[in-house]
Amino acid sequence: MKKIKENLNGLGILKILVYVFFLLFLVIPLLSIFLVSFTDEPINIFGSLISLETLQTTINQFQNATLDNFTAIFQNSTYFASLKNSLYLAITVSLIVMIICIPIAYGIARTKMPFKKTISALCTIPLVIPTFISGYSFIIMFGRSGWATQIYQYFGGEGFFIDPYSMTGIAIVQIFFFFPYALWPMVAAFKVSDISLEEASRNMGAKSWLTFSTVTMPLVIPGMLSTALVIFAVSFSDFGTPIILAPTDLNLIVVEAYREISGFFNWGGAAILTVVMIAIAGLAYWLQNYFTKNMNYGSVSGKPKQIKLNDNKMLTIPLFVFSSLIIIVPLLSLLTVLLQSIATTWGRGLLPNGYTLEHYQTIFTSSLGNIQNSIVLALGALVISVVVSAAVAYFVVRHRSTALDFVTTVPLIVPGIAVGIALIQTFNTAPLQLTGTAFILIVAYAMRRLPYMVRSTMSTMKSIKADIEEAAINLGASTFTALLTVVGPLMLPGIAAGAILVFVTVIKETSISILMAPASWAPMSLAIFQNVMRAEYYSAAAMSIVLVVIVIVFQLIAEKLTNRSEKKMK
């Protein structure tokens, strides 16, 4: 009893509240969706705790539990096709991304490729464009009246050059907009690999191509395998691209799960598809960690040598041409959306028939509420993220709380559509009937982006020496007071950088917005999606550009704050 009283101080209460937060909005929803996959109908876990009648209903549901939904994955042709197609898409995208990233990464890291800095900067463009906007841009480019289709038909082609409404179209969008996730880790791998081994190979008479294939490539294999699994997980759980481009006869697991819950209210079907998504994404991340930890191709060579960049024009010019061809696709996609946003009309012509700013005037009048909703919701998610992540970082670093460290990595594994379905099912009935409210939408945003915030604050927390906090305690301050007045201000650089990252990613969040946002709180991402579905393409394009500009501005602010915090630490 005495020990309990000692722990019930400000710091102890804060730790309890953090655990309660994760229990309510992560652990129980995931457990709930797993149980629904057996019962085939919603389970009111919270209601069972306060009502005997509800508890009896829950017991009856478990008595009728079945494995039918699990067998349906293989027996239901739609479910099995959606799983097979999603796995095929993710594997294809990850393999092709690896192939196209090898020459670009090598060119950036190891050569004097022309315009290398420009290429590097342009390779960040896909990261700031939400996936559903990239899918929408491919409709403008490669659709029936798209300018790329017209050029293709002008030179004698028939039909589509690339059919955007197909598996191929979805794969191409993901390849050109997901490749930066693999590119930068591969650049880092090429930079840190030991060049003395390559020099030894050349000194022994090996040709450049043989040295590259037998020495250079094996040194970066761990990084390649790790990034391939990241691309696999990102492609497999991507919702924005398929929801825009997938035709009704193409079954993908994320789209199928969305249709089951939003169109048919099939709780059991949505639950089992959610469980499968989580399991496969979790397996991908487990494999990534396994290969990262157990495949170490490092070498002990003393002081690292300065990398001598290859300036052979027979190599650097082809690398530049190849890199330019890859980066020009997302660049043209963004420019195409920009042209659509200022076009009076754009039909069968390479360029719009005229130009106007009326579409921007329209969205800043009739759709201003969507912009305001996005900002308010992002700020709400930001507040939760800052408070929770700062507390988690403190407890993990100072108190070695491995449980909290683990639970904050779980949202990395769970796809956004799975988070949304789990929260909708859990909070759809009394006593915590939060589905359809702005609060649960904000919580969903915060939960999805917490890992980024936690990692940012944790790195800053590790740089704060414990003796500063101990000095405050020795002067009479409680541990909680020292946390608020001493540690908190010192964590501000990491909090600021992580906060803007959270804000930016929440602003362009797609899956949770489309699935969970009520009409009165519709953010920009949902409004753009609805405009595309209603064929209001010009308004959708204008709002897309506004969204991208907001993302770019805050991305630049985040980079500046990160650079400043790194300089202060040094």
Side-chain angles (χ1 to χ4, degrees), residues 20 66 71 85 101 146 180 225-226 253 261 276 282 304 324 404 418 437 449-450 456 481 524-525 538-539 552:
V20 169
T66 176
T71 58
N85 290 339
C101 280
L225 289 174
S226 177
I253 196 165
I261 193 69
V276 171
S324 300
L404 277 179
T437 65
R449 303 307 169 189
L450 259 175
S456 178
T481 303
M524 296 173 68
S525 53
Y538 300 103
S539 298
I552 291 174

Side-chain angles (χ1 to χ4, degrees), residues 57-182:
T57 301
T58 303
I59 292 172
N60 293 336
Q61 288 175 318
F62 279 114
Q63 288 176 344
N64 297 322
T66 176
L67 294 174
D68 288 350
N69 287 318
F70 287 87
T71 58
I73 289 292
F74 303 99
Q75 294 178 352
N76 186 312
S77 59
T78 301
Y79 289 175
F80 184 71
S82 68
L83 176 59
K84 184 177 67 174
N85 290 339
S86 293
L87 289 172
Y88 174 76
L89 174 66
I91 292 171
T92 303
V93 169
S94 58
L95 289 176
I96 295 177
V97 164
M98 286 299 100
I99 293 171
I100 68 172
C101 280
I102 289 172
I104 303 175
Y106 186 80
I108 293 173
R110 292 296 191 86
T111 73
K112 292 184 178 180
M113 182 174 63
F115 303 101
K116 185 165 69 173
K117 289 185 178 179
T118 303
I119 292 291
S120 299
L122 292 177
C123 283
T124 63
I125 287 178
L127 297 176
V128 301
I129 303 177
T131 54
F132 67 96
I133 292 179
S134 59
Y136 165 56
S137 70
F138 262 58
I139 295 176
I140 306 175
M141 293 170 65
F142 297 101
R144 290 177 178 82
S145 301
W147 60 264
T149 303
Q150 293 176 49
I151 293 175
Y152 173 67
Q153 293 175 351
Y154 177 80
F155 285 102
E158 295 183 1
F160 295 104
F161 176 61
I162 296 172
D163 184 0
Y165 303 103
S166 65
M167 178 75 84
T168 302
I170 296 170
I172 290 174
V173 172
Q174 290 188 347
I175 288 165
F176 282 101
F177 285 87
F178 290 167
F179 81 87
Y181 292 104

Side-chain angles (χ1 to χ4, degrees), residues 70-338:
F70 287 87
T71 58
I73 289 292
F74 303 99
Q75 294 178 352
N76 186 312
S77 59
T78 301
Y79 289 175
F80 184 71
S82 68
L83 176 59
K84 184 177 67 174
N85 290 339
S86 293
L87 289 172
Y88 174 76
L89 174 66
I91 292 171
T92 303
V93 169
S94 58
L95 289 176
I96 295 177
V97 164
M98 286 299 100
I99 293 171
I100 68 172
C101 280
I102 289 172
I104 303 175
Y106 186 80
I108 293 173
R110 292 296 191 86
T111 73
K112 292 184 178 180
M113 182 174 63
F115 303 101
K116 185 165 69 173
K117 289 185 178 179
T118 303
I119 292 291
S120 299
L122 292 177
C123 283
T124 63
I125 287 178
L127 297 176
V128 301
I129 303 177
T131 54
F132 67 96
I133 292 179
S134 59
Y136 165 56
S137 70
F138 262 58
I139 295 176
I140 306 175
M141 293 170 65
F142 297 101
R144 290 177 178 82
S145 301
W147 60 264
T149 303
Q150 293 176 49
I151 293 175
Y152 173 67
Q153 293 175 351
Y154 177 80
F155 285 102
E158 295 183 1
F160 295 104
F161 176 61
I162 296 172
D163 184 0
Y165 303 103
S166 65
M167 178 75 84
T168 302
I170 296 170
I172 290 174
V173 172
Q174 290 188 347
I175 288 165
F176 282 101
F177 285 87
F178 290 167
F179 81 87
Y181 292 104
L183 176 65
W184 299 115
M186 289 180 66
V187 169
F190 277 118
K191 284 184 176 179
V192 301
S193 60
D194 189 356
I195 62 166
S196 62
L197 298 176
E198 299 173 39
E199 291 176 354
S201 174
R202 285 191 291 268
N203 291 337
M204 293 180 71
K207 300 291 186 182
S208 296
W209 65 267
L210 184 61
T211 298
F212 179 81
S213 59
T214 60
V215 179
T216 306
M217 283 302 297
L219 290 173
V220 298
I221 281 177
M224 288 180 59
L225 289 174
S226 177
T227 51
L229 289 165
V230 170
I231 296 297
F232 173 88
V234 171
S235 172
F236 183 80
S237 60
D238 175 39
F239 178 76
T241 309
I243 197 64
I244 294 292
L245 297 180
T248 54
D249 59 345
L250 175 59
N251 300 311
L252 292 170
I253 196 165
V254 287
V255 178
E256 199 62 36
Y258 169 74
R259 289 170 179 165
E260 291 290 352
I261 193 69
S262 64
F264 309 115
F265 295 101
N266 181 1
W267 295 104
I272 191 59
L273 292 174
T274 301
V275 170
V276 171
M277 280 191 288
I278 295 172
I280 292 177
L283 177 62
Y285 278 104
W286 178 82
L287 288 172
Q288 178 200 353
N289 292 330
Y290 175 81
F291 284 121
T292 303
K293 291 179 181 178
N294 294 283
M295 294 186 68
N296 186 4
Y297 281 52
S299 57
V300 179
S301 58
K303 186 177 179 180
K305 292 187 177 183
Q306 185 71 30
I307 295 177
K308 184 180 178 181
L309 299 179
N310 193 328
D311 58 358
N312 186 347
K313 293 191 185 316
M314 295 293 290
L315 174 66
T316 57
I317 291 178
L319 287 176
F320 166 72
V321 172
F322 178 79
S323 302
S324 300
L325 290 174
I326 297 300
I327 197 58
I328 201 172
V329 175
L331 184 60
L332 285 175
S333 299
L334 184 59
L335 291 175
T336 299
V337 177
L338 177 61

